[in-house]
Amino acid sequence: MRAAICAVTFVILGLVGFVATPNLFKVVNPEYLLALHQYGRPLAALSEDASNTDIKLAELRTKISKQERSMKELSATLTAKQANMKIAGALAEDIAKVGIEAATRMVELSSELDQLNGEYGDLKDKKAFVVSNQLDIRKKLETAAADTSNIYVVARALSLGAIGALMSIIAKFLASPTKRGLLEDSNFIGRMWASMAFGGVASVVVIGLFFTGFISIFANSTQGGGETDFWKVTILCLLAGAFSDRLFQAASGRMDAYLGADQSARQKSRTSAVKAAPAGPGE
């Protein structure tokens, strides 16, 4: 059972420390969740509206292309028909009549084309408005998710510090092996959790010191902002966790020694008080 707990703990810490991405921690960012609850439905409605507008724009483009093609075909047909009529010796009145009929039809087609172009322009304006609103909402969501990167770094620091502390415990056991196995100790799990918690907190403190500008851990060598370097943070937190375990062990030993000495002093004080107490009348 203890082995299973250690294995599951190590896997979870490894996933958070090495595999997790900043976007994963948006689900634990209350400001982002509040903004998502507020703007999620409007953003979905705008996305659906934009999709429907794209479909209508595609249909209108098809109609406009068909209308333009019809006008070109009508013009070509008129030219060919008038040429044939001239060759056949048709009267000028008949030729003019054909031209008037074709011109009337051309005006109708041109009017329909203008109407389609007007609808197309209105839909393009609507699409631009929808896209603008989408961008505004996404900017608000990005602003609300600004602290996600900090949550990500803190979560990695906690996990990597705990891993460093756990590795320190195992290394210390392997350096001085005993007949009793590491997992056979009934108090091991409690000491492991305490040591890992100490290592995680120490790593967060160290990362906080780096963020305040003592030493830069950023990829662009700036202080107080920017994108943190993955491997620099990893190495720093592992070392901080491993070293903090040593401090935890030393502090624990010092506290045990202090409590033991204090208890011994109290015991001696009680013994002296009993010896110094006056004997009763019958003694």
Side-chain angles (χ1 to χ4, degrees), residues 16-117:
V16 175
F18 294 98
V19 180
T21 60
N23 289 332
L24 183 65
F25 291 91
K26 287 182 178 179
V27 297
V28 294
N29 186 345
E31 187 175 357
Y32 175 78
L33 293 177
L34 182 61
L36 188 63
H37 176 74
Q38 183 178 358
Y39 299 112
R41 290 184 179 178
L43 184 60
L46 287 173
S47 298
E48 184 178 358
D49 197 5
S51 178
N52 294 334
T53 303
D54 287 335
I55 294 174
K56 292 179 180 178
L57 284 172
E59 292 176 352
L60 280 176
R61 279 195 295 268
T62 302
K63 291 180 180 180
I64 290 172
S65 298
K66 184 178 180 181
Q67 198 77 357
E68 290 175 345
R69 188 167 54 252
S70 298
M71 292 175 68
K72 291 179 181 179
E73 291 176 355
L74 178 61
S75 178
T77 302
L78 173 62
T79 302
K81 187 173 183 180
Q82 286 179 334
N84 292 331
M85 290 177 70
K86 288 179 181 180
I87 294 173
L91 297 175
E93 295 178 356
D94 294 337
I95 296 175
K97 184 178 179 180
V98 171
I100 292 172
E101 292 177 353
T104 303
R105 178 57 182 162
M106 186 69 73
V107 169
E108 294 176 355
L109 292 176
S110 179
S111 177
E112 293 176 0
L113 180 61
D114 290 340
Q115 184 178 355
L116 291 174
N117 283 326

Side-chain angles (χ1 to χ4, degrees), residues 85-222:
M85 290 177 70
K86 288 179 181 180
I87 294 173
L91 297 175
E93 295 178 356
D94 294 337
I95 296 175
K97 184 178 179 180
V98 171
I100 292 172
E101 292 177 353
T104 303
R105 178 57 182 162
M106 186 69 73
V107 169
E108 294 176 355
L109 292 176
S110 179
S111 177
E112 293 176 0
L113 180 61
D114 290 340
Q115 184 178 355
L116 291 174
N117 283 326
E119 293 178 4
Y120 186 80
D122 292 340
L123 282 177
K124 285 189 69 176
D125 292 340
K126 181 181 178 181
K127 176 65 181 298
F129 178 75
V130 170
V131 171
S132 177
N133 287 339
Q134 284 180 315
L135 290 176
D136 290 340
I137 292 179
R138 289 195 176 102
K139 285 180 180 179
K140 292 178 180 178
L141 291 176
E142 289 176 0
T143 301
D147 288 336
T148 302
S149 59
N150 293 331
I151 297 174
Y152 166 68
V153 173
V154 170
R156 287 199 67 221
L158 287 170
S159 300
L160 295 171
I163 291 175
L166 185 59
M167 292 297 98
S168 180
I169 295 173
I170 296 175
K172 182 179 179 181
F173 173 76
L174 295 177
S176 56
T178 60
K179 294 181 180 180
R180 193 176 186 182
L182 180 63
L183 298 177
E184 294 177 3
D185 187 359
S186 59
N187 297 322
F188 168 73
I189 296 296
R191 288 201 304 270
M192 181 191 75
W193 285 114
S195 182
M196 290 191 333
F198 196 83
V201 171
S203 295
V204 172
V205 171
V206 171
I207 288 293
L209 293 175
F210 274 74
F211 262 98
T212 57
F214 284 87
I215 301 177
S216 176
I217 59 172
F218 299 103
N220 55 5
S221 299
T222 60

